[in-house]
Amino acid sequence: MGIFDKVQSTAKSIGRTASTTAGKLGSNATVATQEQAELVSLRSQINVIDQELNAAYVQIGRKYLDLVIETNEMPGIDISDILKMIDPKLTKKQELQQKIIQLEKEIKQKDIVRDKAIAEQDYLKEKQKLDKALGMDLLTQEEYDTKLKRAYKKVENFEAIRKVEQQAELGLITKEEKAQKIKELTE
């Protein structure tokens, strides 16, 4: 009865951890949606500023063309009034672009944290399955240890595995190289 109690208590512990992790992932998804909406809003604001700047550039071009037609010369023209109007828009555009960069960094960092939590949850599920198999004498202790170690290496080498996957996405390595590198990291 001792082994069964141990398996049962381990299963309960894993269940609680998985439940907590799932709750955190749900709230993280809500935050991610809000961040994506903010990102869209910032990009929209930049588009509006770009349209206003383009209108100002057209005004500069018209003034210059009118002067060239009038005088048959190509002198400099006074566009200081338009430049005064453009300057705050350019400053605002730069600020918005910096916010976008910062927000994209934050989103990427949260994606990494979320993906790592998923990897840890997968490990806990695998551990639970292996605990059950060990408790039912379907695995020897040696087989259990080997399989558990392999499952844990996915969590332990999470960052390295993520880099390999990104390399493959960018076409820096082939599918075969990706498979080989991941195999090396998980065995």
Side-chain angles (χ1 to χ4, degrees):
M1 208 52 163
I3 292 176
F4 179 72
D5 290 337
K6 183 178 176 185
V7 170
Q8 186 178 13
S9 105
T10 303
K12 285 180 183 177
S13 172
I14 291 171
R16 282 191 295 270
T17 304
S19 174
T20 302
T21 304
K24 288 178 183 176
L25 290 176
S27 66
N28 287 345
T30 302
V31 170
T33 302
Q34 291 170 342
E35 289 170 338
Q36 290 296 334
E38 184 178 349
L39 197 56
V40 167
S41 171
L42 291 172
R43 286 187 175 138
S44 174
Q45 289 177 38
I46 286 176
N47 285 338
V48 168
I49 290 172
D50 282 341
Q51 290 174 357
E52 291 172 353
L53 289 172
N54 286 335
Y57 298 150
V58 167
Q59 287 178 359
I60 291 171
R62 283 188 183 141
K63 275 189 171 187
Y64 187 76
L65 186 61
D66 288 345
L67 185 64
V68 168
I69 290 172
E70 243 178 68
T71 63
N72 275 340
E73 294 180 15
M74 293 188 137
I77 58 171
D78 182 26
I79 55 169
S80 59
D81 58 329
I82 297 173
L83 291 178
K84 286 179 185 174
M85 181 185 75
I86 289 176
D87 187 48
K89 293 179 188 304
L90 289 172
T91 303
K92 179 70 175 176
K93 181 179 177 181
Q94 245 178 349
E95 290 171 4
L96 292 172
Q97 287 172 331
Q98 288 300 318
K99 282 183 181 180
I100 286 174
I101 290 169
Q102 186 62 34
L103 188 57
E104 286 175 340
K105 281 182 185 177
E106 290 174 14
I107 289 170
K108 184 176 181 180
Q109 198 62 22
K110 287 178 182 178
D111 285 347
I112 291 170
V113 169
R114 186 187 72 244
D115 291 346
K116 188 164 187 171
I118 290 170
E120 289 172 353
Q121 189 175 16
D122 290 345
Y123 165 74
L124 291 174
K125 286 178 184 176
E126 184 69 16
K127 184 178 182 331
Q128 183 180 18
K129 184 173 75 172
L130 292 172
D131 286 344
K132 183 177 178 182
L134 181 64
M136 296 172 63
D137 291 327
L138 297 174
L139 293 174
T140 65
Q141 185 65 42
E142 186 179 318
E143 291 171 321
Y144 171 85
D145 292 340
T146 302
K147 291 182 182 290
L148 188 61
K149 185 177 179 182
R150 185 177 297 143
Y152 185 71
K153 281 194 167 204
K154 289 179 183 177
V155 174
E156 185 177 53
N157 295 323
F158 174 79
E159 293 292 328
I161 292 170
R162 186 172 174 86
K163 284 182 182 179
V164 169
E165 289 172 346
Q166 288 174 336
Q167 289 173 347
E169 287 174 11
L170 293 175
L172 300 174
I173 59 174
T174 64
K175 288 182 181 180
E176 293 79 19
E177 289 173 315
K178 173 187 169 188
Q180 178 62 32
K181 287 183 177 188
I182 288 178
K183 183 178 179 184
E184 289 170 6
L185 289 169
T186 57
E187 290 183 359

